[in-house]
């Protein structure tokens, strides 16, 4: 088990192996200030290192998911002299390293969006494996309106939406509703309001926790390699992973199936259990 104390900018709690991380800076609409990103990175580190973690859920406090970069801190970056290692570029790339770790987590990442996901906030959603949102949620790549670009989130936006939709949203700064975001493939399922969103999240976590946690940790990295690695080597590794899973959780899963009982890892969530 890992230390979950000492968080000041996000609320982090654990519910039956699921890490629930809530951005908790509503006065800035949960903007991604450096200290917020640092705490998110700590939460990702817990999910990376603790094999009992089954998923990471990201959401925002105050009815707003995330406003993206903290524009208030941009001036201080501009005031720093540009050198061979431009501090603006260095800070930007630091956020990209966090995004790479988030997307590469071996456990499912779920983004739960109310209010709006703007700029980097939309990037967080694009790096997730499942995105749930209210119908009136808003999504936008808002950077070009400020004269900057969605630099470090670009690969994750393209991976989620495809190049054509990423060009449309990025070049025109279009703000899309939850239903339009679902049509683009950004949102997986919509809820009518916040209460329905909690119930929807509980349903998906219940589905998740019907699956063996170790098998999920083996599957997600394997799927990331598909289409990238040579098939023969990939399938060799897949066979070894299959055997390892069979000899661990597979024995319990097969026994539960034969005995017509829930497997030991199953858990049912309620809306109250996941509510911020």
């Amino acid at each position: 088990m890992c230390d979950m104390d000492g968080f000041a900018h996000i609320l982090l709690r654990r519910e039956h192996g699921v890490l629930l991380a809530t951005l908790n800076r509503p006065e800035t609409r949960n903007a991604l200030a450096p200290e917020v990103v640092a705490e998110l990175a700590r939460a990702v580190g817990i999910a990376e290192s603790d094999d009992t973690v089954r998923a990471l859920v990201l959401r925002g406090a105050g009815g707003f998911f995330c406003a993206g970069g903290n524009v208030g801190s941009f001036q201080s970056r501009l005031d720093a002299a540009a050198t061979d290692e431009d501090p603006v570029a260095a800070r930007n790339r630091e956020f990209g390293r966090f995004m790479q770790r988030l997307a590469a987590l071996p456990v499912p990442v779920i983004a739960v969006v109310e209010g709006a996901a703007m700029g980097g906030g939309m990037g967080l959603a694009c790096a997730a494996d499942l995105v749930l949102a209210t119908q009136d949620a808003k999504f936008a790549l808002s950077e070009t309106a400020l004269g900057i670009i969605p630099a470090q989130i670009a690969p994750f936006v393209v991976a989620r939406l495809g190049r054509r939709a990423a060009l449309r949203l990025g070049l025109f700064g279009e703000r899309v509703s939850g239903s339009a975001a679902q049509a683009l493939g950004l949102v997986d399922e919509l809820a009518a309001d916040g209460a329905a969103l909690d119930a929807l999240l509980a349903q998906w976590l219940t589905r998740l926790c019907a699956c063996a946690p170790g098998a999920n940790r083996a599957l997600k990295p394997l799927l990331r390699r598909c289409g990238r690695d040579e098939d023969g080597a990939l399938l060799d590794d897949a066979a070894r992973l299959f055997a390892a899973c069979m000899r661990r959780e597979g024995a319990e899963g097969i026994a539960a199936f034969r005995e017509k009982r829930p497997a030991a890892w199953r858990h049912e969530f309620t809306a109250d259990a996941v509510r911020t």
Side-chain angles (χ1 to χ4, degrees):
M1 302 289 288
C2 297
D3 183 12
M4 292 175 56
D5 296 327
F7 288 87
H9 306 289
I10 68 173
L11 303 174
L12 186 67
R13 65 186 177 91
R14 183 182 180 120
E15 187 75 27
H16 291 280
V18 174
L19 287 182
L20 298 155
T22 302
L23 303 175
N24 192 33
R25 296 283 296 274
E27 70 279 5
T28 67
R29 293 190 170 183
N30 303 316
L32 293 168
E35 58 272 19
V36 176
V37 176
E39 291 194 2
L40 283 174
R42 281 186 57 200
V44 167
I46 293 172
E48 286 171 336
S49 61
D50 187 343
D51 287 343
T52 66
V53 171
R54 303 181 72 164
L56 174 64
V57 175
L58 300 176
R59 62 191 314 179
F64 200 98
F65 183 66
C66 178
N70 185 7
V71 178
S73 69
F74 287 179
Q75 186 60 51
S76 63
R77 302 185 204 177
L78 285 173
D79 292 341
T83 62
D84 289 342
E85 186 177 359
D86 190 326
V88 175
R91 178 61 63 83
N92 187 251
R93 186 63 185 91
E94 184 178 335
F95 180 65
R97 280 187 282 273
F98 160 74
M99 290 292 296
Q100 287 178 289
R101 287 179 64 198
L102 177 65
L105 269 179
V107 297
V109 177
I110 303 173
V112 182
V113 181
E114 293 179 85
M118 314 295 286
M122 180 172 156
L124 291 180
C126 286
D129 302 297
L130 180 74
V131 180
L132 310 176
T134 54
Q135 292 174 354
D136 61 356
K138 297 291 186 290
F139 298 83
L141 293 179
S142 50
E143 287 88 347
T144 50
L146 297 172
I148 56 179
I149 60 173
Q152 299 299 310
I153 65 173
F156 309 97
V157 175
V158 171
R160 180 84 185 185
L161 302 181
R163 191 176 306 276
R164 184 173 181 177
L167 283 167
R168 168 182 150 186
L169 295 179
L171 295 176
F172 295 91
E174 182 184 8
R175 185 175 297 197
V176 297
S177 67
S179 56
Q182 186 179 37
L184 287 171
L186 173 53
V187 172
D188 293 287
E189 193 165 355
L190 291 170
D193 53 29
L197 190 61
D198 290 332
L200 185 61
L201 174 60
Q203 291 171 21
W204 278 99
L205 289 177
T206 296
R207 291 180 189 129
L208 170 73
C209 289
C211 303
N216 271 355
R217 275 188 174 261
L219 177 60
K220 185 177 171 182
L222 180 68
L223 292 178
R224 283 175 57 85
R225 294 172 57 190
C226 293
R228 186 179 64 190
D229 291 10
E230 189 271 325
D231 284 351
L234 178 65
L235 293 174
D236 288 343
D237 289 345
R240 287 188 284 270
L241 286 170
F242 180 86
C245 290
M246 176 72 80
R247 295 181 187 282
R248 292 196 294 260
E249 293 167 328
E252 163 62 13
I254 293 167
F257 177 80
R258 286 176 172 170
E259 296 164 16
K260 296 182 173 55
R261 61 170 175 81
W265 52 74
R266 288 186 67 119
H267 178 75
E268 294 189 3
F269 283 79
T270 65
D272 287 340
V274 302
R275 187 165 292 123
T276 302

